[in-house]
Every structure is written in structure tokens, then in C-alpha cells.
Amino acid sequence: MSDSERSSLVIGLTGGIACGKSEVGRILGEMGFAVCDADQVAHALMRKGTAVFRQVVDRFGERILAADGEISRPILGEAVFRNPSQRAALDRLVHPAVRAELEGWISERRSMGEDAVVQLPLLFESGMQALDWDAVFCVSSSGEQVFRRLEKRGLDRDQAEARIRSQMPLEQKERLADRVIRNHGTLNELEAAVRQAVELTAAKGLK
């Protein structure tokens, strides 16, 4: 689709763990963007009874199930975050289904002329930079800020480091992104940075 045919702005939103992607997504939502959280899409695709659920349980065993028969995210997370081969196996099962859902959602937003953003933590790791984005934004934060946020989520230092190591280095994501939004200050400063990124993206003809 050429730039002249575009009537909407579709942004892929990624970044490091605990860098503030959800907050940036909230700000974009307040700016009128339709917001899709790829993690929630993945969770829905892994619910009990779905094809992805059966494939994941077949691969990792019933030990990953909670008392209600659903996949336990914490148990599955511990099984894969410390083991790259296990993580890769999970990604091969889940990412194609997530990609198909996101492609459909983006296409629908395009057809309706809506500005939209997809929060996608593993955008580059999953090869989804090739989706129909007008721009990819990367949210960045300092290492110590990230550790503090992860500690508030109940992770100890070792668990936090394992989560960070499981993803592409933040510096590499920054290089691959069209725009970097630095979340180092106040909420007002973050909101100003988001608005500036959107304005610059539209002004450069990416819209």
C-alpha cells in the first residue's frame, strides 16, 4: 500500500521488559488510537480447548496446568525463560497464530481508517517487523529502573535478569526501531515524548 493510499497510522509498539510499553499504549489510546495488546491475544489463543492450548500442553506436559485446567502462565514462564530451547519451542507454537490474529486486526483497522497501535514486546524477536506498520516505536528505560519495576512485580534479582536475558538487548531494539521513546522521567515527560513521536512520524510522510 502506498503512502498516498493510507488513511490511518498503524504503529508497532515494542521495547524492553518493564520499560513502560503499557503506559505508552494507554497514552496512545487517549490520543484516539485503537489499542491491541499482543500478550492478551496470545493468552486468548492459549485458553483451554484451543488448538494452541493442545499443542502447548502436548509439548510441555500437564505440569504446566493450573488447578482449573488452564495453562499456568507463571509455571510455563519459569519453564521457558531459563531455557532458550524451550522458549524457542513455545514461540514456534504460539507466534504463527498470534501473527495471523494481528494481521487480521491491522487489516480491519486499515479498512476502517482508524489509527491503531499494537503492543508487541517480542516484535523483533518474532520477526513481526514485516507486518503492515507505518512505524515501530521502541520504549526505553534505564537498567535500574527496570529492576525496580520488576521487583515491584514480585520478581527477585535472578528472576528479573532471566526475563531480561530472554529478550533481544534493548540497544538492538532501539537501533531497529523507527523511533525511540525514552521513559526516564515523569509521566508528563513520557506523554510529551509519545506525542512528539507521533507528530514526527506523521510529518515525515510515514502516515
Side-chain angles (χ1 to χ4, degrees):
M1 183 182 294
S2 69
D3 291 340
S4 63
E5 293 174 308
R6 294 191 188 280
S7 58
S8 60
L9 183 66
V10 178
I11 293 168
L13 178 61
T14 192
I17 187 171
C19 280
K21 294 181 294 296
S22 295
E23 194 63 34
V24 171
R26 181 193 63 77
I27 292 168
L28 288 168
E30 291 182 351
M31 292 173 63
F33 283 73
V35 181
C36 176
D37 186 332
D39 281 344
Q40 292 182 5
V41 172
H43 294 174
L45 289 168
M46 294 172 66
R47 285 181 186 145
K48 186 177 180 179
T50 65
V52 175
F53 170 91
R54 291 191 292 272
Q55 291 169 352
V56 172
V57 174
D58 285 346
R59 174 63 178 78
F60 293 94
E62 294 188 358
R63 64 188 178 89
I64 66 170
L65 298 179
D68 61 0
E70 295 284 356
I71 292 173
S72 167
R73 304 295 298 184
I75 296 174
L76 181 59
E78 282 302 308
V80 302
F81 280 118
R82 297 179 185 275
N83 189 320
S85 64
Q86 294 282 64
R87 177 64 179 266
L90 178 64
D91 290 346
R92 285 194 296 271
L93 295 175
V94 178
H95 285 173
V98 172
R99 184 187 187 107
E101 289 289 324
L102 295 182
E103 286 176 336
W105 189 84
I106 291 170
S107 178
E108 185 175 358
R109 303 286 79 71
R110 292 284 192 200
S111 69
M112 298 175 68
E114 290 184 324
D115 289 339
V117 57
V118 178
Q119 295 174 205
L120 188 52
L122 302 180
L123 187 150
F124 295 117
E125 293 92 331
S126 61
M128 293 194 202
Q129 63 266 38
L131 294 186
D132 187 20
W133 313 118
D134 291 300
V136 172
F137 290 0
C138 175
V139 187
S140 175
S141 195
S142 72
E144 282 309 309
Q145 287 175 314
V146 168
F147 278 118
R148 285 198 297 270
R149 291 170 190 148
L150 291 175
E151 287 171 0
K152 288 181 180 178
R153 297 180 189 179
L155 299 180
D156 62 30
R157 193 81 176 190
D158 287 344
Q159 290 172 321
E161 289 177 349
R163 296 296 195 276
I164 293 169
R165 285 196 304 271
S166 73
Q167 296 188 0
M168 178 184 292
L170 181 56
E171 295 80 6
Q172 187 175 353
K173 291 187 179 187
E174 291 176 355
R175 289 194 298 270
L176 292 170
D178 297 296
R179 307 223 172 264
V180 177
I181 297 172
R182 304 198 183 280
N183 183 18
H184 300 312
T186 67
L187 184 57
N188 286 339
E189 289 171 334
L190 178 62
E191 182 173 347
V194 174
R195 291 184 179 278
Q196 182 183 47
V198 171
E199 290 168 4
L200 289 173
T201 298
K204 284 202 171 184
L206 291 174
K207 186 171 181 179

